[in-house]
Amino acid sequence: MRVKKWFGLVVTSLLLVSTLYPAGVFAKADRTIEDESIYDLLVDRYNNGDGLNDYNVNTQDLSAFNGGDFTGIGTRLEHIAGMGFTVISLGPVFSTETYDGSKVLDYTKFEPQFGTDKEFSKMIKDVHERDISVIADFPFAGVSANHVWAQEGKFKAIPATDGTIDWDYSDVAVQQALKEAVVDFVETYKLDGIRLTKIEKFDTAFINEVIEAVKAVNPEAYVLTNEVSDAKFDGALNMDKMNALRTSFVTPDVDAAALSLFTENTDNGLVQFDDLTGPRYTYDIVEARMFPPTRWKLAATALFSMPGTLIVPYGTEIAVNGKAAPENHQLMNYKIDQELVEYIGSLNKLRNMSETFRSGDFEILYNEGGFSVFKRSSDKEIWIIALNNTTQTSNFAIPKEVIGDNKKLRGVLDNDLVRESKDGMFRVVLEREVAEIYIADEDTGFNVPYLITSILIYTTFLSFLFLVWRRGKQGRKEDIAK
């Protein structure tokens, strides 16, 4: 990462912690769904932590099991926590015929290649110790034709495609069994939530019964879905917003008028660029012959500053490509450039630290030809988010009435500083294809907090050099030992 960018990111972390939010990040008990940021993964593709359960693993075949397991997730929690995510979504974890967990065989058993019930419980305990919540998927359809219920002839099923079946959604016995299975799963393993998938054919009234039943055993549990639904979910997919985001940042100089949806519709929608069931956002970027890191930084800044509960699929931080499964479900690679990982982490931590930034009033100040300027505000703070998705330097003048008296705009991504000009305007100027986030600070001249932060940065940098030296020394010792 370039020194300037590294400097800006360190300034962001230290300055925010030392001068804006001395109490630190909000606690889990205080969070609502609007506060959360969800990291969405597939157990099999995340990390192989236990080779003893690799029964049918073939890492050279994307359509086969690749070895990821519950233990592996537990050993990579630092990666997730380091990016500031507050919820881990595990996907389906039941006994299954396929690596992605979709062809469920039994709602009461875990997939052996993912691990045991004890390992699952230990993973949840480890996650909770980091103040992160855990949710998992519960598929209501598209299960294996060899599902235990089908083999026993216990409930009515409808043949589907590719060796799958759908349960008879109109059958009362089926509905009762599914509801009980969901509740039992959440209650037994103390899950923080459940995501109901493949619910399209089920009646909204029944889905609401399931939601109420889950809330009865855990009132704090989130009940989500990755589908568009009128049921009383804590969060459901908003396809219009998702498409607005996807189409606005793939290429530069794009009319981003569709982003006005974020001012017109302020429901508790789940907001994301891509999900694990379709083309990855990087696929669109590559197809348009664009440079993924540049495109993703603009897109990520927009995603993390928009209203809604954001979801980031695993692999986004390494710009995973792929049009459809299994190509879009590549095994997670941790030996990669950390620039995008750190960038996402900085945005997420900023979001965690500021209630205004994640859930304050949202207003579009300017949105023309790919240059967009947004405002997030409350009676406590004002944030300005500027996205120059054009091929030239762009600027926009913000009247001081929008910012307030005796203020300055301090950039927290690239350390930009904008002061009020003599005509009462704040002129935000950005180079092509870059983003900046500004906090409106009191303009008091000599900035003591900034001086303190500079000292902290110097100390942090020296500590960083020491750690690099120590790790190098340890590495040399290990090489000698070998």
Side-chain angles (χ1 to χ4, degrees):
M1 181 179 288
R2 293 178 297 165
V3 173
K4 183 180 179 184
K5 288 291 185 183
W6 180 87
F7 181 84
L9 293 176
V10 174
V11 168
T12 300
S13 299
L14 291 177
L15 195 55
L16 286 171
V17 171
S18 62
T19 67
L20 291 177
Y21 307 102
V25 179
F26 60 112
K28 182 176 178 180
D30 300 326
R31 298 199 298 252
T32 66
I33 190 64
E34 292 87 355
D35 295 316
E36 308 287 12
S37 56
I38 302 173
Y39 188 75
D40 197 14
L41 57 81
L42 291 174
V43 175
D44 179 68
R45 296 301 155 100
Y46 202 63
N47 185 44
N48 190 345
D50 183 2
L52 296 179
N53 56 29
D54 292 351
Y55 308 121
N56 298 300
V57 168
N58 183 355
T59 57
Q60 304 306 308
D61 182 1
L62 280 177
S63 62
F65 284 90
N66 279 197
D69 46 40
F70 302 140
T71 300
I73 293 172
T75 59
R76 288 290 184 180
L77 290 180
E78 185 59 39
H79 178 76
I80 301 172
M83 290 188 290
F85 287 100
T86 60
V87 177
I88 297 175
S89 171
L90 300 171
V93 295
F94 302 116
S95 176
T96 177
E97 291 181 347
T98 52
Y99 74 87
D100 63 355
S102 60
K103 289 188 177 181
V104 177
L105 290 164
D106 192 334
Y107 289 128
T108 65
K109 296 179 180 179
F110 291 112
E111 169 52 43
Q113 296 187 94
F114 296 167
T116 65
D117 56 346
K118 291 183 179 179
E119 290 165 341
F120 184 77
S121 295
K122 182 181 184 304
M123 177 201 65
I124 291 179
K125 180 176 179 291
D126 292 343
V127 173
H128 284 169
E129 287 178 352
R130 291 180 176 269
D131 203 28
I132 300 174
S133 300
V134 184
I135 65 174
D137 282 12
F138 196 106
F140 270 29
V143 301
S144 170
N146 296 314
H147 191 287
V148 62
W149 288 359
Q151 294 297 303
E152 295 174 352
K154 204 167 184 179
F155 301 107
K156 295 180 181 178
I158 304 169
T161 60
D162 193 27
T164 66
I165 57 173
D166 295 337
W167 303 119
D168 185 345
Y169 54 88
S170 63
D171 185 76
V172 174
V174 166
Q175 293 182 358
Q176 183 63 26
L178 286 171
K179 181 167 64 175
E180 290 176 356
V182 171
V183 171
D184 183 65
F185 182 44
V186 172
E187 187 174 26
T188 300
Y189 296 101
K190 311 303 179 187
L191 290 171
D192 302 294
I194 196 80
R195 183 167 62 181
L196 307 183
T197 66
K198 301 180 181 179
I199 62 171
E200 180 182 1
K201 295 181 180 179
F202 285 87
D203 182 77
T204 299
F206 165 65
I207 298 299
N208 282 333
E209 287 182 19
V210 176
I211 295 172
E212 291 172 4
V214 170
K215 298 285 187 178
V217 298
N218 182 359
E220 304 301 320
Y222 297 134
V223 186
L224 311 177
T225 185
N226 61 350
E227 301 177 21
V228 177
S229 174
D230 293 329
K232 298 176 182 178
F233 284 103
D234 294 299
L237 182 63
N238 188 310
M239 283 298 299
D240 291 336
K241 288 183 178 179
M242 178 174 170
N243 290 333
L245 285 169
R246 284 186 74 106
T247 57
S248 294
F249 298 100
V250 172
T251 59
D253 300 315
V254 171
D255 180 4
L259 295 178
S260 63
L261 285 171
F262 287 87
T263 62
E264 298 168 0
N265 185 356
T266 57
D267 62 3
N268 298 336
L270 303 178
V271 181
Q272 57 194 106
F273 272 92
D274 55 357
D275 59 39
L276 297 176
T277 64
R280 302 303 291 259
Y281 187 60
T282 303
Y283 174 82
D284 292 353
I285 295 172
V286 173
E287 285 293 294
R289 301 181 183 276
M290 294 286 108
F291 183 54
T294 299
R295 299 285 91 211
W296 257 119
K297 284 187 177 181
L298 279 165
T301 306
L303 175 66
F304 280 83
S305 58
M306 293 290 187
T309 302
L310 65 90
I311 298 181
V312 176
Y314 88 97
T316 292
E317 68 271 35
I318 60 173
V320 161
N321 197 350
K323 184 178 182 180
E327 287 77 18
N328 62 348
H329 296 162
Q330 298 169 33
L331 188 63
M332 183 65 185
N333 177 15
Y334 297 94
K335 298 178 180 179
I336 40 81
D337 187 341
Q338 294 292 302
E339 186 168 355
L340 187 53
V341 175
E342 292 172 3
Y343 192 81
I344 289 174
S346 294
L347 291 172
N348 211 5
K349 289 170 186 175
L350 173 62
R351 190 176 183 274
N352 289 343
M353 290 174 182
S354 172
E355 180 181 1
T356 302
F357 187 77
R358 67 178 179 268
S359 58
D361 294 336
F362 178 77
E363 180 183 357
I364 297 178
L365 302 178
Y366 183 81
N367 190 22
E368 297 289 342
F371 186 48
S372 307
V373 182
F374 313 137
K375 177 184 177 183
R376 300 302 303 263
S377 62
S378 69
D379 57 358
K380 298 178 182 178
E381 298 168 354
I382 292 177
W383 295 88
I384 300 294
I385 301 95
L387 307 166
N388 185 12
N389 187 30
T390 76
T391 50
Q392 61 187 4
T393 299
S394 300
N395 66 87
F396 177 66
I398 306 173
K400 81 170 189 176
E401 290 78 14
V402 175
I403 306 300
D405 293 328
N406 197 33
K407 298 285 187 180
K408 66 177 182 292
L409 296 178
R410 175 167 49 80
V412 297
L413 291 182
D414 212 10
N415 205 30
D416 192 16
L417 183 64
V418 179
R419 282 193 163 91
E420 180 186 343
S421 59
K422 291 181 180 180
D423 61 356
M425 306 295 283
F426 292 81
R427 288 179 169 80
V428 173
V429 181
L430 293 184
E431 296 179 2
R432 56 176 289 179
E433 298 181 87
V434 298
E436 181 61 290
I437 297 172
Y438 301 90
I439 177 72
D441 273 351
E442 293 294 330
D443 194 355
T444 57
F446 185 65
N447 195 329
V448 174
Y450 188 83
L451 179 61
I452 294 173
T453 300
S454 298
I455 296 172
L456 288 172
I457 290 170
Y458 181 74
T459 305
T460 301
F461 183 64
L462 290 178
S463 300
F464 171 76
L465 292 178
F466 174 74
L467 287 173
V468 170
W469 172 80
R470 189 171 68 177
R471 288 180 182 177
K473 183 178 179 181
Q474 182 64 31
R476 289 192 293 272
K477 286 184 179 179
E478 292 176 355
D479 291 340
I480 293 172
K482 291 178 181 178

